[in-house]
Amino acid sequence: MKRGTITVLGSATSMGIPTIGCECATCLSTDPKDRRSRPSVMLNWANRCIVIDTGPDFRQQALREHVRHLDAVLYTHAHADHILGLDDLRPLTYDRSNSGTRLPLYARANTARHLRNVFQYVFDESYKYGGTAKVTLNEIDGPFDLLDLRVVPVPILHGDAEIYGYRIGRFAYLTDFSTIPEASLPLLAGVEVVFLDALRHTFHPTHSTVANSLQVAARIGARQTFFTHIGHDLPHAATNRSLPLGVELAWDGLRLDVELED
Ligand SMILES: [Zn+2]
Ligand SMILES: [Zn+2]
Ligand SMILES: [Zn+2]
């Protein structure tokens, strides 16, 4: 069986923890696991490396994890906390310039449209000022082959907006959802390791709460569930003590082995 390693690049909600100007206990905490950068994960296998989302902290995350080569980026949706690091893909595309190849990005159509708007100069063939990331943007609307992996987009609801989570083998990454549609649950059958959005305890119109994500976790039934996109209402150690066996908060730098085939 084909195995790989997931590394959590970032586990924070959109503003990052500590949050600018905030003096709450989590933002002032000295526990390194309470320092959370914007949400993203990296998957490594057989000298291959892909990331899901490139947020505003991508540069620091890539330096921290000594990323030297990237084979692809999957985007979940086009909110700032998931895309603003796209420009920092530049040094990871230089090795391709010589061979004339480009780093492939994958996104659903509406996300791709936003990426082309926000990063117009990157996708504008007539841009003459150089220094842009050498990337290609591939629109996806269902399962596809990426290198030797099968990638299954999982439609999830982020408030009213449908965005993508991703399943690869027995691993799934579902960030920024308020609801998992019933029709998407079969796509998650047999998943062993799952990441779920869990912003805080109190209701939010576009994100899941701890209580809701515990219900989702029970329905998916993965061996290990990690909560991500975590707000400052959830201090790492105290929150983990309140969670059932098999469910815990993710943290920046967390690494785990995953099975990449069904
Ligand atoms: Zn987000
Ligand atoms: Zn705070
Ligand atoms: Zn979002």
Coordinates of all heavy atoms in Angstrom, one line a residue, residues 64-134:
R64 N 9.8 27.0 7.5 CA 9.8 26.2 8.7 C 9.9 24.7 8.4 O 10.6 24.0 9.1 CB 8.5 26.5 9.5 CG 8.4 25.8 10.9 CD 6.9 26.0 11.4 NE 6.1 25.0 10.8 CZ 4.8 25.1 10.6 NH1 4.1 26.2 11.0 NH2 4.0 24.1 10.1
E65 N 9.2 24.3 7.4 CA 9.2 22.8 7.0 C 10.2 22.5 5.9 O 10.2 21.4 5.4 CB 7.8 22.4 6.6 CG 6.7 22.7 7.6 CD 6.9 21.8 8.9 OE1 7.7 20.8 8.9 OE2 6.4 22.2 10.0
H66 N 11.1 23.4 5.6 CA 12.2 23.2 4.6 C 11.6 22.6 3.3 O 12.2 21.7 2.7 CB 13.2 22.2 5.2 CG 13.7 22.7 6.5 ND1 14.6 23.7 6.7 CD2 13.5 22.2 7.8 CE1 14.8 23.9 8.0 NE2 14.2 23.0 8.7
V67 N 10.6 23.2 2.8 CA 10.0 22.8 1.5 C 11.0 23.3 0.4 O 11.3 24.5 0.3 CB 8.6 23.5 1.3 CG1 8.1 23.1 -0.1 CG2 7.6 23.0 2.4
R68 N 11.4 22.3 -0.4 CA 12.3 22.7 -1.5 C 11.7 22.4 -2.9 O 12.2 22.9 -3.9 CB 13.6 21.8 -1.4 CG 14.2 21.9 0.0 CD 15.5 21.1 0.1 NE 16.6 21.8 -0.6 CZ 17.4 22.7 0.0 NH1 17.2 23.0 1.3 NH2 18.3 23.3 -0.7
H69 N 10.7 21.7 -2.9 CA 10.1 21.3 -4.2 C 8.6 21.1 -4.0 O 8.2 20.5 -3.0 CB 10.7 20.0 -4.7 CG 10.0 19.5 -6.0 ND1 10.3 20.0 -7.2 CD2 9.1 18.5 -6.1 CE1 9.5 19.4 -8.1 NE2 8.8 18.5 -7.4
L70 N 7.8 21.5 -5.0 CA 6.4 21.3 -4.9 C 5.9 20.8 -6.2 O 6.3 21.2 -7.3 CB 5.7 22.7 -4.6 CG 4.4 22.8 -3.9 CD1 4.4 22.0 -2.6 CD2 4.1 24.2 -3.5
D71 N 5.0 19.8 -6.2 CA 4.5 19.2 -7.4 C 3.1 19.7 -7.8 O 2.7 19.6 -8.9 CB 4.4 17.7 -7.2 CG 5.8 17.0 -7.2 OD1 6.4 17.0 -8.2 OD2 6.2 16.6 -6.1
A72 N 2.3 20.2 -6.8 CA 1.0 20.8 -7.1 C 0.4 21.5 -5.9 O 0.9 21.3 -4.8 CB 0.1 19.6 -7.5
V73 N -0.6 22.3 -6.2 CA -1.4 22.9 -5.1 C -2.9 22.7 -5.4 O -3.3 22.9 -6.5 CB -1.1 24.5 -5.0 CG1 -1.9 25.1 -3.8 CG2 0.3 24.8 -4.8
L74 N -3.6 22.2 -4.3 CA -5.0 22.1 -4.4 C -5.6 23.3 -3.6 O -5.2 23.5 -2.5 CB -5.5 20.8 -3.8 CG -4.9 19.5 -4.2 CD1 -5.5 18.3 -3.4 CD2 -5.1 19.3 -5.7
Y75 N -6.6 24.0 -4.2 CA -7.3 25.0 -3.5 C -8.7 24.6 -3.1 O -9.4 24.0 -3.9 CB -7.3 26.3 -4.3 CG -6.0 27.0 -4.4 CD1 -5.1 26.8 -5.5 CD2 -5.5 27.8 -3.3 CE1 -3.9 27.5 -5.5 CE2 -4.3 28.4 -3.3 CZ -3.4 28.2 -4.4 OH -2.2 28.8 -4.4
T76 N -9.0 24.9 -1.8 CA -10.3 24.6 -1.3 C -11.4 25.7 -1.7 O -12.5 25.3 -2.1 CB -10.3 24.5 0.2 OG1 -9.9 25.8 0.8 CG2 -9.4 23.4 0.7
H77 N -11.0 26.9 -1.6 CA -11.8 28.1 -2.0 C -10.9 29.3 -2.0 O -9.8 29.3 -1.6 CB -13.0 28.2 -1.1 CG -12.7 28.5 0.3 ND1 -11.9 27.8 1.1 CD2 -13.2 29.5 1.1 CE1 -11.8 28.3 2.3 NE2 -12.6 29.4 2.4
A78 N -11.5 30.5 -2.4 CA -10.7 31.6 -2.7 C -10.7 32.7 -1.6 O -10.3 33.8 -1.8 CB -11.2 32.3 -4.0
H79 N -11.0 32.3 -0.3 CA -10.9 33.3 0.8 C -9.4 33.6 1.0 O -8.6 32.8 0.8 CB -11.6 32.8 2.0 CG -13.1 32.9 2.0 ND1 -13.9 32.2 2.8 CD2 -13.9 33.6 1.1 CE1 -15.2 32.5 2.5 NE2 -15.2 33.4 1.5
A80 N -9.2 34.9 1.5 CA -7.9 35.4 1.6 C -7.0 34.5 2.4 O -5.8 34.3 2.1 CB -7.9 36.8 2.3
D81 N -7.5 33.9 3.5 CA -6.7 33.1 4.4 C -6.2 31.8 3.7 O -5.4 31.0 4.3 CB -7.4 32.8 5.7 CG -8.8 32.3 5.6 OD1 -9.5 32.7 4.7 OD2 -9.2 31.4 6.5
H82 N -6.7 31.5 2.5 CA -6.4 30.2 1.8 C -5.6 30.5 0.5 O -5.1 29.5 0.0 CB -7.7 29.4 1.5 CG -8.4 29.0 2.8 ND1 -8.3 27.8 3.4 CD2 -9.2 29.8 3.6 CE1 -9.0 27.8 4.5 NE2 -9.5 29.0 4.6
I83 N -5.5 31.7 0.1 CA -4.9 31.9 -1.3 C -3.8 33.0 -1.3 O -3.0 33.0 -2.2 CB -6.0 32.4 -2.3 CG1 -6.5 33.7 -2.0 CG2 -7.1 31.3 -2.4 CD1 -7.3 34.4 -3.2
L84 N -3.7 33.8 -0.2 CA -2.8 35.0 -0.4 C -1.3 34.7 -0.5 O -0.5 35.5 -0.8 CB -3.1 36.0 0.7 CG -4.4 36.8 0.5 CD1 -4.5 38.0 1.5 CD2 -4.5 37.4 -0.9
G85 N -1.0 33.4 -0.2 CA 0.4 33.0 -0.3 C 0.8 32.6 -1.7 O 1.9 32.2 -2.0
L86 N -0.2 32.7 -2.7 CA 0.1 32.2 -4.0 C 1.4 32.8 -4.6 O 2.2 32.1 -5.3 CB -1.1 32.4 -4.9 CG -1.1 31.8 -6.3 CD1 -2.5 31.4 -6.8 CD2 -0.4 32.6 -7.4
D87 N 1.6 34.1 -4.4 CA 2.7 34.7 -4.9 C 4.1 34.2 -4.4 O 5.1 34.2 -5.1 CB 2.7 36.2 -4.6 CG 3.4 37.0 -5.7 OD1 2.9 37.0 -6.9 OD2 4.4 37.6 -5.4
D88 N 4.0 33.6 -3.2 CA 5.2 33.0 -2.6 C 5.5 31.6 -3.2 O 6.5 31.0 -2.8 CB 5.2 33.0 -1.1 CG 5.4 34.4 -0.5 OD1 6.3 35.1 -1.0 OD2 4.6 34.8 0.4
L89 N 4.8 31.2 -4.1 CA 5.1 30.0 -4.9 C 6.3 30.2 -5.8 O 6.9 29.3 -6.3 CB 3.9 29.4 -5.6 CG 2.7 28.9 -4.8 CD1 1.5 28.6 -5.7 CD2 3.2 27.6 -4.1
R90 N 6.6 31.5 -6.1 CA 7.6 31.8 -7.1 C 8.9 31.0 -7.0 O 9.3 30.4 -7.9 CB 7.9 33.3 -7.0 CG 6.9 34.2 -7.8 CD 7.2 35.6 -7.8 NE 7.1 36.2 -6.5 CZ 7.7 37.3 -6.1 NH1 8.4 38.0 -7.0 NH2 7.5 37.8 -4.9
P91 N 9.6 31.1 -5.8 CA 10.8 30.3 -5.8 C 10.7 28.8 -6.0 O 11.6 28.2 -6.4 CB 11.4 30.6 -4.3 CG 10.2 31.1 -3.6 CD 9.3 31.7 -4.5
L92 N 9.5 28.3 -5.7 CA 9.2 26.9 -6.0 C 8.9 26.6 -7.4 O 8.7 25.4 -7.8 CB 8.1 26.4 -5.0 CG 8.5 26.4 -3.5 CD1 7.3 26.3 -2.6 CD2 9.6 25.3 -3.2
T93 N 8.8 27.6 -8.2 CA 8.5 27.4 -9.7 C 9.8 27.6 -10.5 O 9.8 27.4 -11.7 CB 7.4 28.2 -10.2 OG1 7.7 29.6 -10.2 CG2 6.1 28.0 -9.4
Y94 N 10.8 28.2 -9.9 CA 12.0 28.5 -10.7 C 12.7 27.3 -11.3 O 13.2 27.3 -12.4 CB 13.1 29.2 -9.8 CG 12.7 30.7 -9.5 CD1 13.4 31.4 -8.5 CD2 11.6 31.3 -10.2 CE1 13.0 32.7 -8.2 CE2 11.3 32.6 -9.8 CZ 12.0 33.3 -8.9 OH 11.6 34.6 -8.5
D95 N 12.7 26.2 -10.6 CA 13.3 25.0 -11.1 C 12.6 24.5 -12.4 O 13.1 23.8 -13.2 CB 13.4 23.8 -10.1 CG 12.0 23.4 -9.5 OD1 11.1 24.3 -9.6 OD2 11.9 22.3 -9.0
R96 N 11.3 24.9 -12.5 CA 10.5 24.5 -13.7 C 10.8 25.4 -14.9 O 10.6 25.0 -16.0 CB 9.0 24.6 -13.4 CG 8.7 23.6 -12.4 CD 7.3 23.8 -11.8 NE 6.9 22.8 -10.9 CZ 6.4 21.6 -11.2 NH1 6.1 21.4 -12.5 NH2 6.1 20.7 -10.3
S97 N 11.2 26.7 -14.6 CA 11.4 27.6 -15.7 C 12.4 27.1 -16.8 O 12.1 27.2 -18.0 CB 11.9 29.0 -15.2 OG 11.1 29.4 -14.2
N98 N 13.4 26.5 -16.3 CA 14.5 25.9 -17.2 C 13.9 24.9 -18.1 O 14.2 24.8 -19.3 CB 15.6 25.4 -16.4 CG 16.2 26.4 -15.5 OD1 16.2 27.6 -15.8 ND2 16.7 26.0 -14.3
S99 N 13.0 24.0 -17.5 CA 12.5 22.9 -18.3 C 11.2 23.3 -19.0 O 10.6 22.6 -19.8 CB 12.2 21.7 -17.4 OG 11.3 22.1 -16.4
G100 N 10.8 24.6 -18.8 CA 9.6 25.0 -19.5 C 8.3 24.5 -18.9 O 7.2 24.7 -19.5
T101 N 8.3 23.8 -17.8 CA 7.1 23.3 -17.2 C 6.6 24.3 -16.1 O 7.3 25.2 -15.7 CB 7.3 21.9 -16.5 OG1 8.3 22.1 -15.5 CG2 7.8 20.9 -17.5
R102 N 5.3 24.1 -15.8 CA 4.7 25.0 -14.8 C 4.1 24.2 -13.7 O 3.8 23.1 -13.8 CB 3.6 25.9 -15.5 CG 4.2 26.9 -16.4 CD 3.1 27.6 -17.3 NE 3.7 28.7 -17.9 CZ 3.5 30.0 -17.5 NH1 2.8 30.2 -16.5 NH2 4.1 31.0 -18.1
L103 N 4.1 24.9 -12.5 CA 3.5 24.2 -11.3 C 2.0 24.2 -11.5 O 1.3 25.2 -11.6 CB 3.9 25.0 -10.1 CG 3.3 24.6 -8.7 CD1 3.8 23.2 -8.3 CD2 3.5 25.6 -7.6
P104 N 1.4 23.0 -11.4 CA -0.1 22.9 -11.6 C -0.9 23.3 -10.3 O -0.5 22.7 -9.3 CB -0.3 21.5 -12.1 CG 0.8 20.7 -11.5 CD 2.0 21.7 -11.4
L105 N -1.8 24.1 -10.5 CA -2.8 24.5 -9.4 C -4.1 23.9 -9.8 O -4.5 23.8 -10.9 CB -2.9 26.0 -9.2 CG -1.7 26.8 -9.3 CD1 -2.0 28.3 -9.1 CD2 -0.7 26.4 -8.2
Y106 N -4.9 23.4 -8.8 CA -6.2 22.8 -9.1 C -7.2 23.5 -8.2 O -7.1 23.7 -7.0 CB -6.2 21.3 -8.7 CG -5.2 20.5 -9.6 CD1 -3.9 20.4 -9.3 CD2 -5.7 20.0 -10.8 CE1 -3.0 19.7 -10.1 CE2 -4.8 19.3 -11.6 CZ -3.5 19.1 -11.3 OH -2.6 18.5 -12.1
A107 N -8.4 23.9 -8.8 CA -9.5 24.5 -8.1 C -10.8 24.4 -8.9 O -10.7 24.2 -10.1 CB -9.2 26.0 -8.0
R108 N -11.9 24.4 -8.2 CA -13.2 24.4 -8.9 C -13.3 25.7 -9.6 O -12.6 26.7 -9.4 CB -14.3 24.1 -8.0 CG -14.4 25.0 -6.7 CD -15.5 24.5 -5.8 NE -16.8 24.8 -6.3 CZ -17.9 24.1 -6.1 NH1 -17.8 23.0 -5.4 NH2 -19.0 24.4 -6.7
A109 N -14.3 25.8 -10.5 CA -14.4 26.9 -11.5 C -14.5 28.3 -10.8 O -13.8 29.2 -11.1 CB -15.6 26.7 -12.4
N110 N -15.4 28.4 -9.7 CA -15.6 29.7 -9.1 C -14.4 30.1 -8.4 O -14.0 31.3 -8.3 CB -16.9 29.7 -8.3 CG -16.9 28.7 -7.2 OD1 -16.1 27.7 -7.2 ND2 -17.8 28.8 -6.2
T111 N -13.7 29.2 -7.7 CA -12.4 29.5 -7.0 C -11.4 29.9 -8.1 O -10.6 30.9 -7.8 CB -11.9 28.2 -6.3 OG1 -12.9 27.8 -5.4 CG2 -10.6 28.5 -5.5
A112 N -11.3 29.2 -9.2 CA -10.3 29.6 -10.2 C -10.6 31.0 -10.7 O -9.6 31.8 -11.0 CB -10.4 28.6 -11.4
R113 N -11.8 31.3 -10.9 CA -12.2 32.7 -11.4 C -11.7 33.7 -10.4 O -11.1 34.7 -10.8 CB -13.7 32.8 -11.5 CG -14.2 34.0 -12.4 CD -15.6 33.9 -12.7 NE -16.5 33.8 -11.6 CZ -17.3 32.7 -11.3 NH1 -17.3 31.7 -12.1 NH2 -18.0 32.7 -10.2
H114 N -11.9 33.5 -9.1 CA -11.4 34.5 -8.1 C -9.9 34.5 -8.1 O -9.3 35.6 -8.0 CB -11.9 34.1 -6.7 CG -13.3 34.4 -6.5 ND1 -13.8 35.7 -6.3 CD2 -14.4 33.6 -6.3 CE1 -15.1 35.7 -6.1 NE2 -15.5 34.4 -6.1
L115 N -9.2 33.4 -8.3 CA -7.7 33.4 -8.3 C -7.2 34.2 -9.5 O -6.3 35.0 -9.3 CB -7.2 32.0 -8.4 CG -7.3 31.1 -7.1 CD1 -6.9 29.7 -7.4 CD2 -6.4 31.7 -6.0
R116 N -7.9 34.1 -10.6 CA -7.5 34.9 -11.8 C -7.7 36.4 -11.6 O -7.0 37.2 -12.1 CB -8.3 34.4 -13.1 CG -7.7 33.1 -13.6 CD -8.3 32.8 -15.0 NE -8.2 31.4 -15.2 CZ -9.1 30.5 -15.0 NH1 -10.3 30.9 -14.6 NH2 -8.9 29.2 -15.3
N117 N -8.7 36.7 -10.8 CA -9.0 38.1 -10.5 C -7.9 38.7 -9.6 O -7.3 39.7 -9.8 CB -10.4 38.3 -9.9 CG -11.5 38.4 -10.9 OD1 -11.2 38.8 -12.0 ND2 -12.7 38.0 -10.5
V118 N -7.7 38.0 -8.4 CA -6.8 38.5 -7.4 C -5.4 38.5 -7.9 O -4.7 39.5 -7.6 CB -7.0 37.6 -6.1 CG1 -6.0 38.1 -5.1 CG2 -8.4 37.7 -5.6
F119 N -5.0 37.5 -8.6 CA -3.6 37.4 -9.1 C -3.6 37.6 -10.6 O -2.9 36.8 -11.3 CB -3.0 36.1 -8.7 CG -2.9 36.0 -7.2 CD1 -3.8 35.3 -6.5 CD2 -1.8 36.6 -6.5 CE1 -3.7 35.2 -5.1 CE2 -1.7 36.5 -5.1 CZ -2.7 35.8 -4.4
Q120 N -4.2 38.6 -11.1 CA -4.3 38.9 -12.6 C -3.0 38.8 -13.3 O -2.9 38.2 -14.3 CB -4.9 40.3 -12.7 CG -5.9 40.4 -13.9 CD -6.6 41.7 -13.8 OE1 -6.3 42.6 -13.0 NE2 -7.5 41.9 -14.8
Y121 N -2.0 39.4 -12.7 CA -0.6 39.5 -13.3 C 0.0 38.1 -13.5 O 0.8 37.9 -14.4 CB 0.3 40.4 -12.5 CG 0.5 40.0 -11.1 CD1 1.6 39.2 -10.7 CD2 -0.5 40.3 -10.1 CE1 1.7 38.8 -9.4 CE2 -0.3 39.9 -8.8 CZ 0.8 39.1 -8.5 OH 0.9 38.7 -7.2
V122 N -0.4 37.2 -12.6 CA 0.2 35.9 -12.7 C -0.3 35.1 -13.9 O 0.4 34.4 -14.5 CB -0.1 35.1 -11.4 CG1 0.3 33.6 -11.5 CG2 0.6 35.7 -10.2
F123 N -1.6 35.3 -14.2 CA -2.2 34.6 -15.2 C -2.3 35.3 -16.6 O -2.9 34.9 -17.5 CB -3.6 34.1 -14.8 CG -3.6 33.3 -13.5 CD1 -3.9 33.8 -12.3 CD2 -3.1 31.9 -13.6 CE1 -3.8 33.0 -11.2 CE2 -3.0 31.2 -12.5 CZ -3.4 31.7 -11.3
D124 N -1.8 36.6 -16.6 CA -1.9 37.4 -17.8 C -0.6 37.1 -18.6 O 0.5 37.5 -18.2 CB -1.9 38.9 -17.3 CG -1.9 39.8 -18.5 OD1 -1.9 39.3 -19.7 OD2 -2.0 41.1 -18.3
E125 N -0.8 36.5 -19.8 CA 0.3 36.1 -20.6 C 1.1 37.3 -21.1 O 2.3 37.2 -21.4 CB -0.2 35.3 -21.8 CG -0.8 34.0 -21.5 CD 0.2 33.0 -21.0 OE1 1.4 33.1 -21.3 OE2 -0.2 32.1 -20.1
S126 N 0.4 38.5 -21.2 CA 1.1 39.7 -21.7 C 1.8 40.5 -20.6 O 2.5 41.5 -21.0 CB 0.1 40.6 -22.4 OG -0.9 41.1 -21.4
Y127 N 1.8 40.0 -19.4 CA 2.5 40.8 -18.3 C 4.0 40.7 -18.5 O 4.5 39.6 -18.7 CB 2.1 40.1 -17.0 CG 2.7 40.8 -15.8 CD1 2.1 41.9 -15.2 CD2 3.8 40.3 -15.1 CE1 2.6 42.6 -14.1 CE2 4.4 40.9 -14.0 CZ 3.8 42.0 -13.5 OH 4.3 42.7 -12.4
K128 N 4.6 41.9 -18.6 CA 6.0 42.0 -19.0 C 7.0 42.2 -17.9 O 8.2 42.4 -18.2 CB 6.1 43.1 -20.1 CG 5.4 42.8 -21.4 CD 5.7 43.8 -22.4 CE 5.1 43.5 -23.8 NZ 3.6 43.6 -23.7
Y129 N 6.6 42.3 -16.7 CA 7.5 42.8 -15.7 C 8.2 41.7 -14.9 O 8.9 41.9 -14.0 CB 6.8 43.7 -14.7 CG 6.2 44.9 -15.5 CD1 4.9 44.9 -15.8 CD2 7.0 45.9 -16.0 CE1 4.3 46.0 -16.6 CE2 6.5 46.9 -16.8 CZ 5.2 47.0 -17.1 OH 4.7 48.0 -17.8
G130 N 8.0 40.4 -15.4 CA 8.7 39.3 -14.9 C 8.4 38.9 -13.5 O 7.6 39.5 -12.8
G131 N 9.1 37.9 -13.0 CA 9.1 37.6 -11.6 C 7.8 37.0 -11.1 O 7.5 36.9 -9.9
T132 N 6.9 36.5 -12.0 CA 5.7 35.9 -11.6 C 5.8 34.4 -11.4 O 6.7 33.8 -12.0 CB 4.5 36.2 -12.5 OG1 4.9 35.7 -13.8 CG2 4.2 37.6 -12.6
A133 N 5.0 33.8 -10.6 CA 5.0 32.3 -10.4 C 4.6 31.7 -11.7 O 3.7 32.1 -12.4 CB 4.0 32.0 -9.3
K134 N 5.4 30.6 -12.1 CA 5.1 29.9 -13.3 C 4.2 28.8 -13.0 O 4.6 27.7 -12.6 CB 6.4 29.3 -13.9 CG 7.5 30.4 -14.2 CD 7.1 31.3 -15.3 CE 8.1 32.4 -15.5 NZ 7.6 33.7 -15.6

